[in-house]
Amino acid sequence: MAKTYSLFISHSWDHDDTLQSLKNLLNSRGYFPALYTQVEKDCPINSENAAVIKANITKRLKDSDVLLAIAGVFASHSDWMQWEMDKAKELGLNVIGVIPWGQQHISVEVCSRSVVDVRWNVDSIVDAIREYSKQ
């Protein structure tokens, strides 16, 4: 039976289409079951209190096998993405940078925290997830 991977995808809500495209790409890969643990725009944490949000995200990260960080340049301007990556590393999760399709420049904030950066290719992404996920 194939392992089901719990994936936390760190992303900018201003680029929700990129998140959905990445999930669609991963879901198109046969024999790669995945659960997604990130907070999404259509199902937000209903709080303005940063401590509540951080506690909720921390629980989701603890339940994840790896953090995928969408490495577009917008990530360099997202305090939340940077916090999520730092918290993941603190919890012992590897960060994999995923470079959006056609992107020439990537976020220094992502590549400075990631164990590997991969291009927008399902086989490369899946291979990295399998290699760097918690065992």
Side-chain angles (χ1 to χ4, degrees):
M1 184 170 189
K3 173 182 171 55
T4 299
Y5 291 90
S6 292
L7 309 175
F8 187 103
I9 304 174
S10 185
H11 63 288
S12 168
W13 281 12
D14 291 339
H15 298 274
D16 188 62
D17 56 327
T18 307
L19 168 68
Q20 299 310 321
S21 294
L22 178 56
K23 287 172 53 179
N24 290 340
L25 182 67
L26 291 169
N27 290 338
S28 73
R29 179 68 148 71
Y31 306 104
F32 186 74
L35 298 172
Y36 303 100
T37 60
Q38 72 280 340
V39 178
E40 295 192 40
K41 205 175 200 177
D42 62 346
C43 190
I45 299 169
N46 291 320
S47 177
E48 303 247 339
N49 183 326
V52 170
I53 295 169
K54 287 179 178 182
N56 191 294
I57 290 172
T58 298
K59 180 183 179 334
R60 291 168 185 244
L61 286 167
K62 285 179 179 177
D63 292 340
S64 300
D65 293 313
V66 70
L67 182 141
L68 301 177
I70 299 178
V73 292
F74 53 82
S76 293
H77 307 287
S78 172
D79 293 339
W80 279 108
M81 285 186 70
Q82 293 168 34
W83 182 87
E84 289 168 349
M85 289 183 284
D86 290 341
K87 181 54 81 170
K89 289 177 64 98
E90 179 185 312
L91 295 171
L93 286 180
N94 285 316
V95 174
I96 298 170
V98 179
I99 303 165
W101 178 257
Q103 191 85 48
Q104 295 300 318
H105 303 286
I106 64 171
S107 169
V108 173
E109 298 297 336
V110 174
C111 68
S112 68
R113 291 169 171 85
S114 60
V115 293
V116 67
D117 297 311
V118 295
R119 295 256 169 222
W120 197 269
N121 172 287
V122 70
D123 291 329
S124 298
I125 299 167
V126 167
D127 288 348
I129 292 168
R130 287 181 172 147
E131 183 172 351
Y132 294 105
S133 287
K134 292 190 295 192
Q135 299 301 321

